[in-house]
Amino acid sequence: MNEMTNKWIGRRTIRPDGAEKVTGRAAFAADTTMPGMIWGKLLRSPHPHAHIRAINTAKAEALTGVKAVVTARDIVDFPVDKSVMLGIQDMRWMCRNVMAREKALFHGHPIAAVAATTAEIAAEACKLIEVDYEVLPWAIEIDDALKPDAPILHDFIRFEGKPSNIAGKLEHKLGDIAEGFAKADVIVERTFTTRPVHQGYIEPQACLVSVTADGKATIWSSSQGHFMVRAMTSMLTGLPQSSIRAIPAEIGGGFGGKTIIYLEPVATMLAKKSGRPVKMVMTREEVMRATGPTSASKSTVKIGATKDGRIVAAQGAFYLQAGALPGSPIRGSAGCAFAPYNIPNVLSQGFDVVCNRSKVTAYRAPGAPIGAYPVECVLDEIAEKLGIDPLDLRLKNIAKEGTKAAHGPVYPRIGFAETVAAARAHPHYQAPLGPHQGRGVASGFWFNAGGESSAQVNITEDGNVVVTTGHPDIGGSRASIANITAELLGIDYRRVSVLIGDTASIGFSNLTGGSRALFASSMVVTQSIEKVIATLRERAAQIWQIDPEAVTWAEGAAHPAGKNAGNFPPLTLAEIAAKASATGGPIGAGVQLNTTGAEGGFATHICDVEVDLELGIVRVVRFTAFQDAGRAIHPSYVEGQMQGGVAQGIGWALNEEYIYNAKGQVDNPSFLDYRMPVCSDLPMIDTVIVEVPNPKHPQGVRGVGEASIVPPLAAISNAVHNALGKRFYALPISPPKVLAALKTTA
Amino acid sequence: MSDMRYVVPRTLDEAVGAFAEAKGAARILAGGTDLLVQMRAGAVRPGLVIDIKKIAELTGIEETADGGFRIGGAVAGARLAEHPRFGKVWPGLLEAINLIGSTQVQGRASAGGNLCNGSPAADSVPAMVAAGAVATLQGPKGRREMPVEDVPAGPGRTNLQPGEILVGFILPPRPLGSGDAYLRMIPRTEMDIAVVGCGVNLTLKDGVCTAARVGLGAVAPTVLRVDAAAKALIGSRLDAAALDAAAAACRAACHPIDDKRGTIAYRTEVAGVLLKRAAGIAADRAKGA
């Protein structure tokens, strides 16, 4: 399947959803309306930490125009002593996140919701809800949450036997680090911090929910998985999954942030109570205050190497902010940090720290950039101390087929060394630097994922193809599926229509997350098409009255083969489709699988920065990303994923951060002051797609959406060091920090 | 839930009448790029919105016989950019006005609104101050003029009297050998608010600075006119010592706050850097003129 004779796989075809999007006609979640629709609004906590003694909604309910009020009492309670998992989410925490139960745990935590005939009345009614709070001291930063006298968020959480804000610990161990460090000629140990950063999707969360009198709910919303929307809404409202139909809207960005829900169960209960369709749309401010960014972190990494550059031991302790409820991505940090290297002795620990800020949500390779950043910076120092080129140091210690990783697996064929070699050989790596410029490199790993996927492939009566899958298309998966379908059936890609089915029209398909969507859906689509082709061969055999085994499928048509070769003119897809009813009925097939074999993705980045020495501004002037895609089904969208990850990494490294005021409130809840990079902040990000096919996938696909955000934090930090001769151990490397550091030198 | 009225007067008298009558419950709408955002955020809830974009005097750009300019208070940045002469005479001021918001925002945003919004970080204001621009105001008691630097009273406040509307700006004629420049520090490259902004306007004769004005933004509750910096430049050949003295004067004039956009130390340091850089650009333009 990976030979270069492919006609459509690897082609930059036009994406099926392109015209609607560039003409502004694509329907996003907030575009849906219904007759009789009313508006839902949330009352949010004004305090970062408080007991909720009582809530009185009588005045709000009495306001003209108010149709329903909902509090935690209307949401299914999952007691804290028993974990109920849905994917990686624990419903104990989800139910407390969508509506505060015993306590308000962050400023902006939902306390109650109102549905009214206008959004203004709903907002007015929220102000009439009386909440009796017992305000508590709060802890926002990791250091504050870990102090001996820190306010404890959850009295049911114990760490080492004592009440604690450390909600969990994870450990990966390989060999014996004490023995390993004893063999080291050089050891570098450093502590690093990163700030929480938001996914920054342009489309705020929004939904419309209608519940009929007999309890059937229809949900229109944008998410990274409408089956997740259905399952979570079911669990939080008590409606069975069969009574909920979740219809995916086009999604205006997710980056992991839309792998959980906020509004849908609330809107469902408001709709059920009021008997009217209820629409809820978050403002940007609500998104910034109450939806999940990824964690802040404090990490200490220690790496030992011999004089010739062999890494003999590595240790990492990664403390991640979970936000108000447990569940920070410590697995991503502790697991991915050392994964690119063949290190005999590793101890990698992650600590999940709760604090009074919004619950973190997945963000592109959750936890992995936080893990890789300190490791890749320490490697840079080791390379410097040993006088070894940093890419050569990586090649000396590179993980490859057969390497045992600390997080568990023994790698099959992977394409990491190829990315480093491609970077080493690229002209960028040797290009001369200008004044006040510096160059840095770093690598990164992401697990990738498979999981449940369903597809249905139908041949239309006029001989074209409709493919339905169940993963929302965030990064061009429909375009890629069209390429694969066209390739396998031997027809023009424009004859293939690819749709995302809702929860009632296609089987269970897991979230678009973990870089799984194309990996998993192309597996079930491929198997479905194989079944369709078998049917097409049977129908042709029937028409020709020969044995189906004597029919081959090529170039979009059935051909007689073997002793019948040449006896009949080929039958095209359209000709067979036209005779489908006469030969046994409609032609189509569906396949559902729990897919496996998504092998890890690796990336290596080269970054050049230029520093304005008087203003402290760091600008990225050149960036080249090398990544193993396995097989690039649609190169434009592989490149888009690589560039997107880099762009977000640049923001994380240089400017983005949540700023809190003295009252424990986010002080910059807008795109104006939460400084994500804009187009003019970025150079054209060059991409080099490395293709080492995944042997466990029919097309050789490896996920590409996430590995790209893993290296930039360190690549940029290392480049700043190369430019200034100073190392920064805290992100973002913002102008005031740079200027202060330069002044200390002078 | 309260009602809001919207009026579009065709004459200044009508506008002033409506504004005065509303007694503080009204807001003036020029481009609306601040007002509408504030209304959406619930920060202001005016009972009356007076749209001044249909008043001829507020939307004109006029080059006066003496070589000066009159700019209507509601003229959008994009209109100024399209004017054949304005950007040649006042390149720094035009750059400053065109830094307000994005390309789309430029289609609406006006220098008049930028001044009346009262932000200490307003981009056009330090350049206006450096240019020596004078604001024309009209209110129930008639018309008066006020130097631009006297208009801001503090964050979100101006010294306009109740019922007074900013009619426009008067820019003085340019002596030969003049140039201006505006620079701001933002962490990004676009779509941001000045952490520090600095406008410099100067005149050179035989390489010697004969006149200079300096405006500094985002380093105090109001945009500042820094006469000490101007004094350091006047009489010099803009040599390193003069620029250092002017930069030091800018730093001394700063009394900023620590906030989400910048620190006291950083803002103070950067004010001097921007003065030097802006003076350099203004001098190059003066020599080219």
Side-chain angles (χ1 to χ4, degrees):
Chain A
M1 204 52 60
N2 291 293
E3 56 272 29
M4 295 311 288
T5 54
N6 284 331
K7 190 164 178 191
W8 298 109
I9 288 176
R11 279 272 302 275
R12 295 169 191 269
T13 54
I14 292 170
R15 66 190 287 164
D17 50 320
E20 281 207 343
K21 283 183 177 159
V22 299
T23 56
R25 297 177 71 161
F28 294 89
D31 292 328
T32 316
T33 58
M34 265 188 104
M37 183 182 92
I38 59 174
W39 293 84
K41 282 271 175 204
L42 284 161
L43 171 70
R44 295 176 179 279
S45 171
H47 308 295
H49 197 190
H51 279 299
I52 301 169
R53 289 203 196 106
I55 302 175
N56 183 349
T57 60
K59 284 183 191 158
E61 283 167 66
L63 186 68
T64 306
V66 170
K67 302 293 179 189
V69 177
V70 157
T71 65
R73 264 184 286 190
D74 300 289
I75 302 291
V76 174
D77 186 13
F78 289 81
V80 295
D81 51 5
K82 187 168 171 282
S83 173
V84 177
M85 297 303 290
L86 183 80
I88 60 165
Q89 297 298 332
D90 191 323
M91 297 311 292
R92 290 179 293 173
W93 318 139
M94 279 306 302
C95 81
R96 282 167 179 76
N97 197 47
V98 300
M99 201 62 88
R101 208 154 263 282
E102 306 82 4
K103 271 178 153 185
L105 293 163
F106 60 95
H107 172 249
H109 198 164
I111 303 294
V114 176
T117 48
T118 68
E120 290 73 21
I121 295 173
E124 207 61 41
C126 282
K127 292 184 197 155
L128 297 175
I129 296 174
E130 295 159 343
V131 187
D132 182 7
Y133 293 105
E134 178 195 345
V135 179
L136 301 168
W138 64 86
I140 287 173
E141 302 300 341
I142 293 174
D143 285 343
D144 297 334
L146 294 182
K147 274 183 193 154
D149 59 344
I152 297 294
L153 270 74
H154 305 287
D155 48 20
F156 52 87
I157 291 178
R158 292 272 186 290
F159 186 73
E160 294 172 348
K162 281 180 276 187
S164 173
N165 288 321
I166 298 181
K169 181 185 172 184
L170 175 148
E171 187 171 291
H172 295 304
K173 213 173 159 182
L174 196 66
D176 181 333
I177 53 164
E179 258 175 46
F181 283 120
K183 290 181 199 152
D185 298 312
V186 53
I187 295 175
V188 174
E189 181 175 6
R190 300 277 181 249
T191 295
F192 297 79
T193 59
T194 66
R195 305 294 296 154
V197 289
H198 197 268
Q199 297 83 352
Y201 35 82
I202 300 297
E203 180 198 27
Q205 274 82 355
C207 70
L208 171 62
V209 181
S210 168
V211 182
T212 58
D214 59 348
K216 305 277 188 209
T218 307
I219 302 171
W220 290 265
S221 70
S222 98
S223 75
Q224 289 177 242
H226 39 297
F227 288 91
M228 173 279 298
V229 170
R230 182 179 73 174
M232 282 198 182
T233 305
S234 167
M235 292 175 104
L236 294 172
T237 62
L239 292 173
Q241 289 192 13
S242 56
S243 292
I244 301 174
R245 182 179 178 198
I247 300 175
E250 288 292 342
I251 180 167
F255 313 105
K258 291 177 184 167
T259 56
I260 67 169
I261 53 174
Y262 298 91
L263 302 175
E264 287 87 339
V266 177
T268 301
M269 292 316 295
L270 288 170
K272 201 175 159 198
K273 280 191 155 183
S274 65
R276 305 272 290 268
V278 173
K279 183 167 181 169
M280 296 184 82
V281 181
M282 278 200 206
T283 61
R284 178 66 54 195
E285 185 178 331
E286 288 180 290
V287 169
M288 296 304 288
R289 290 200 191 288
T291 70
T294 194
S295 308
S297 68
K298 183 172 186 177
S299 310
T300 301
V301 163
K302 179 179 174 185
I303 296 177
T306 57
K307 264 182 269 179
D308 60 347
R310 285 281 311 142
I311 302 172
V312 287
Q315 183 178 8
F318 306 94
Y319 288 83
L320 271 69
Q321 259 181 348
L325 295 152
S328 65
I330 49 178
R331 176 176 163 266
S333 302
C336 296
F338 302 108
Y341 307 108
N342 181 12
I343 308 173
N345 306 294
V346 177
L347 178 63
S348 189
Q349 297 171 310
F351 299 89
D352 189 27
V353 183
V354 292
C355 59
N356 294 108
R357 45 181 310 150
S358 58
K359 170 181 155 54
V360 299
T361 313
Y363 179 21
R364 206 170 197 150
I370 289 170
Y373 159 60
V375 170
E376 299 290 316
C377 288
V378 167
L379 284 182
D380 205 63
E381 283 199 51
I382 289 180
E384 189 189 21
K385 281 187 197 298
L386 294 175
I388 298 176
D389 174 275
L391 288 179
D392 287 344
L393 178 70
R394 284 166 176 83
L395 283 171
K396 261 181 201 284
N397 296 282
I398 203 115
K400 51 182 183 287
E401 189 169 355
T403 299
K404 164 83 177 157
H407 69 281
V410 174
Y411 292 126
R413 179 77 173 94
I414 53 175
F416 180 36
E418 285 80 355
T419 70
V420 181
R424 190 82 175 83
H426 195 274
H428 181 176
Y429 200 51
Q430 306 303 337
L433 288 163
H436 317 307
Q437 292 187 349
R439 177 167 299 144
V441 297
S443 294
F445 166 83
W446 175 245
F447 305 114
N448 288 331
E452 301 85 350
S453 192
S454 304
Q456 175 70 33
V457 176
N458 289 330
I459 306 299
T460 58
E461 298 95 290
D462 62 356
N464 293 307
V465 187
V466 177
V467 182
T468 308
T469 68
H471 312 281
D473 176 2
I474 305 190
S477 59
R478 276 171 292 191
S480 303
I481 290 293
N483 280 5
I484 288 172
T485 305
E487 187 74 49
L488 295 176
L489 282 170
I491 58 172
D492 190 288
Y493 83 99
R494 279 159 287 222
R495 290 173 61 191
V496 182
S497 174
V498 186
L499 309 174
I500 311 302
D502 65 56
T503 57
S505 60
I506 189 75
F508 175 49
S509 300
N510 210 323
L511 292 161
T512 297
S515 296
R516 71 156 55 86
L518 183 63
F519 171 85
S521 61
S522 57
M523 270 184 156
V524 286
V525 167
T526 298
Q527 292 192 17
S528 302
I529 292 170
E530 284 165 356
K531 288 189 176 187
V532 165
I533 289 174
T535 304
L536 292 166
R537 286 168 54 220
E538 280 164 24
R539 302 298 174 90
Q542 214 184 109
I543 294 165
W544 291 327
Q545 296 191 318
I546 62 173
D547 185 49
E549 294 306 309
V551 178
T552 58
W553 186 266
E555 307 274 314
H559 301 262
K563 64 179 167 34
N564 302 299
N567 288 357
F568 309 101
L571 276 169
T572 63
L573 182 60
E575 288 166 336
I576 298 172
K579 292 182 179 170
S581 291
T583 55
I587 300 170
V591 168
Q592 297 179 278
L593 282 179
N594 184 7
T595 64
T596 57
E599 300 300 341
F602 292 87
T604 298
H605 291 176
I606 308 174
C607 168
D608 292 356
V609 299
E610 182 172 311
V611 185
D612 182 325
L613 299 182
E614 291 180 319
L615 298 179
I617 298 173
V618 176
R619 298 257 186 251
V620 176
V621 292
R622 188 173 178 185
F623 205 108
T624 311
F626 305 81
Q627 191 171 329
D628 175 22
R631 184 81 177 105
I633 303 298
H634 195 305
S636 299
Y637 302 123
V638 173
E639 290 162 2
Q641 291 294 329
M642 292 166 72
Q643 292 166 328
V646 171
Q648 290 185 311
I650 290 172
W652 197 337
L654 294 180
N655 274 319
E656 290 178 40
E657 63 179 319
Y658 276 60
I659 299 164
Y660 277 80
N661 65 20
K663 295 177 194 159
Q665 306 164 335
V666 179
D667 201 24
N668 58 337
S670 72
F671 278 158
L672 178 60
D673 288 310
Y674 178 80
R675 286 166 161 143
M676 270 169 39
V678 297
C679 245
S680 53
D681 294 338
L682 304 173
M684 185 64 201
I685 296 158
D686 294 315
T687 55
V688 176
I689 302 174
V690 173
E691 292 186 295
V692 177
N694 177 357
K696 298 179 182 172
H697 188 273
Q699 283 82 29
V701 166
R702 296 179 203 270
V704 294
E706 290 167 286
S708 54
I709 199 177
V710 184
L713 313 188
I716 293 163
S717 300
N718 294 339
V720 171
H721 166 256
N722 186 237
L724 299 178
K726 283 192 93 65
R727 293 201 183 266
F728 289 81
Y729 297 102
L731 299 184
I733 307 175
S734 57
K737 267 189 217 164
V738 174
L739 204 58
L742 288 170
K743 293 217 112 187
T744 340
T745 328
Chain B
M1 283 203 285
S2 49
D3 287 340
M4 186 198 83
R5 281 196 313 125
Y6 168 77
V7 296
V8 192
R10 303 285 158 157
T11 68
L12 195 50
D13 286 343
E14 259 180 83
V16 168
F19 196 29
E21 195 185 322
K23 294 194 191 304
R27 293 294 295 258
I28 299 294
L29 176 82
T33 58
D34 283 312
L35 179 62
L36 295 190
V37 175
Q38 290 161 6
M39 285 168 64
R40 243 183 102 117
V44 295
R45 288 169 177 249
L48 174 67
V49 169
I50 304 166
D51 186 340
I52 56 170
K53 282 194 297 295
K54 296 285 191 285
I55 302 169
E57 194 180 354
L58 275 85
T59 53
I61 306 167
E62 184 199 346
E63 190 166 7
T64 53
D66 60 359
F69 275 90
R70 281 175 189 278
I71 304 164
V75 171
R79 288 273 318 282
L80 272 174
E82 286 163 4
H83 191 273
R85 289 271 306 145
F86 181 74
K88 292 194 170 72
V89 182
W90 293 102
L93 179 53
L94 180 62
E95 279 166 3
I97 294 168
N98 288 162
L99 280 174
I100 304 166
S102 61
T103 303
Q104 291 88 334
V105 168
Q106 278 293 308
R108 287 276 168 182
S110 63
N114 202 219
L115 178 61
C116 291
N117 187 49
S119 167
D123 280 310
S124 67
V125 181
M128 284 278 187
V129 168
V134 173
T136 308
L137 310 174
Q138 185 149 326
K141 292 180 193 156
R143 185 169 284 224
R144 61 178 180 140
E145 291 181 350
M146 185 185 280
V148 165
E149 56 269 37
D150 293 342
V151 173
R157 294 185 295 117
T158 68
N159 288 316
L160 270 60
Q161 292 299 306
E164 257 183 340
I165 293 174
L166 185 139
V167 178
F169 299 96
I170 301 165
L171 288 157
R174 303 288 271 154
L176 219 60
S178 297
D180 74 332
Y182 173 77
L183 290 176
R184 64 174 181 178
M185 190 283 160
I186 53 171
R188 290 188 288 215
T189 46
E190 291 281 350
M191 305 295 292
D192 217 329
I193 286 187
V195 175
V196 181
C198 179
V200 175
N201 174 34
L202 47 77
T203 305
L204 296 181
K205 195 173 179 204
D206 303 326
V208 175
C209 179
T210 56
R213 288 172 64 96
V214 174
L216 210 49
V219 294
T222 62
V223 169
L224 304 175
R225 193 185 78 201
V226 190
D227 290 344
K231 230 170 126 182
L233 298 176
I234 296 168
S236 81
R237 306 186 73 87
L238 302 181
D239 49 290
L243 289 172
D244 281 343
C250 278
R251 290 183 180 121
C254 292
H255 44 107
I257 52 169
D258 272 328
D259 72 357
K260 59 193 172 189
R261 292 177 182 143
T263 61
I264 292 170
Y266 184 76
R267 285 181 152 129
T268 306
E269 173 63 24
V270 163
V273 175
L274 293 187
L275 176 281
K276 288 187 189 180
R277 291 184 183 184
I281 297 168
D284 287 344
R285 286 172 175 166
K287 286 171 199 157

